Amino acid sequence: DTAVSQTPKYLVTQMGNDKSIKCEQNLGHDTMYWYKQDSKKFLKIMFSYNNKELIINETVPNRFSPKSPDKAHLNLHINSLELGDSAVYFCASSPRGGSQETQYFGPGTRLLVL
Amino acid sequence: GNSVTQMEGPVTLSEEAFLTINCTYTATGYPSLFWYVQYPGEGLQLLLKATKADDKGSNKGFEATYRKETTSFHLEKGSVQVSDSAVYFCALSPTGGYSTLTFGKGTMLLVSP
């Protein structure tokens, strides 16, 4: 019974393609996040949703579009993929999005753009 | 803006050695401080946290104390094991509002038998 799950685990695609990554949490949390981890392991937040509402939108190209159909799911769609999008993308969730809360991370999606 | 600085790795130790990974931060007010660990091929998981000054977080033999005066949250363990080999991330979340974790660059720890 995985708490935060992501699909796919690996994604290899060509430049210019459009792809989606899905995330689901079964923890009953209100808040979900997308992070990008680059090749040097540096992690940076991309987006955060609270009860399906976008609350954090960092400086991310608008080729990246998150969608939250319900509070248990947060998907990430990427248009016109570029080489620099190659990274590991992590989804996370937390109970209500409070600053003291623990965030629970998924296993990551390893995206390679050729 | 907010930032977290942690020591560069890799840190290479023998089993049962003492571990310190330094972490300092820049933030206004009293952020919450976290250590997350990433084992090879996995996502991050919380190791410990502290939400106010002088708090000590501890878990699995690891400890870190929130030092406001030195803006630090150094991670320590008295005796490391091979299974502790992982990447360790220090992070902060500013006071109030929604959580926005700012991470350090991570420190890889390699423990040999």
Side-chain angles (χ1 to χ4, degrees):
Chain A
D1 51 341
T2 307
V4 182
S5 58
Q6 295 178 226
T7 53
K9 192 166 182 180
Y10 299 96
L11 189 50
V12 180
T13 188
Q14 301 288 329
M15 257 192 335
N17 284 351
D18 303 338
K19 290 293 177 187
S20 291
I21 307 171
K22 296 187 176 183
C23 178
E24 176 180 0
Q25 55 95 4
N26 63 5
L27 297 168
H29 290 169
D30 288 346
T31 309
M32 296 183 73
Y33 312 81
W34 277 112
Y35 289 87
K36 180 180 180 181
Q37 186 177 45
D38 65 22
S39 58
K40 296 183 178 178
K41 298 276 190 191
F42 185 58
L43 271 156
K44 189 168 167 53
I45 189 161
M46 302 172 70
F47 302 103
S48 175
Y49 271 72
N50 181 268
N51 272 317
K52 303 192 295 176
E53 299 290 327
L54 180 66
I55 54 171
I56 294 169
N57 184 353
E58 292 295 307
T59 310
V60 176
N62 53 19
R63 298 182 294 103
F64 289 79
S65 51
K67 282 192 173 52
S68 183
D70 57 60
K71 72 177 192 178
H73 295 84
L74 179 61
N75 303 323
L76 183 65
H77 188 76
I78 316 170
N79 288 325
S80 302
L81 278 154
E82 300 178 357
L83 295 178
D85 297 332
S86 296
V88 183
Y89 293 84
F90 287 102
C91 177
S93 72
S94 69
R96 289 164 302 281
S99 61
Q100 299 183 353
E101 292 176 358
T102 300
Q103 292 188 18
Y104 296 80
F105 285 76
T109 295
R110 285 146 185 84
L111 171 65
L112 178 60
V113 182
L114 302 175
Chain B
N2 300 319
S3 67
V4 175
T5 303
Q6 58 182 108
M7 60 193 288
E8 299 273 339
V11 173
T12 305
L13 294 173
S14 298
E15 206 164 25
E16 300 184 2
F18 184 85
L19 168 71
T20 301
I21 300 178
N22 290 337
C23 171
T24 57
Y25 67 90
T26 301
T28 54
Y30 291 83
S32 295
L33 301 174
F34 304 82
W35 278 100
Y36 281 84
V37 59
Q38 184 178 24
Y39 297 102
E42 297 184 10
L44 281 75
Q45 54 187 271
L46 179 74
L47 182 59
L48 52 83
K49 68 179 179 182
T51 58
K52 59 182 190 293
D54 300 324
D55 266 3
K56 178 187 279 188
S58 60
N59 186 28
K60 299 181 182 180
F62 291 88
E63 291 183 341
T65 301
Y66 188 143
R67 302 279 188 208
K68 179 68 176 171
E69 62 277 13
T70 53
T71 62
S72 65
F73 193 53
H74 304 322
L75 183 68
E76 295 183 338
K77 186 175 185 184
S79 175
V80 292
Q81 305 300 312
V82 171
S83 57
D84 293 327
S85 298
V87 180
Y88 292 81
F89 292 92
C90 185
L92 70 80
S93 182
T95 307
Y98 285 105
S99 173
T100 53
L101 280 175
T102 297
F103 285 92
K105 291 189 175 181
T107 302
M108 180 177 287
L109 170 65
L110 300 169
V111 181
S112 56

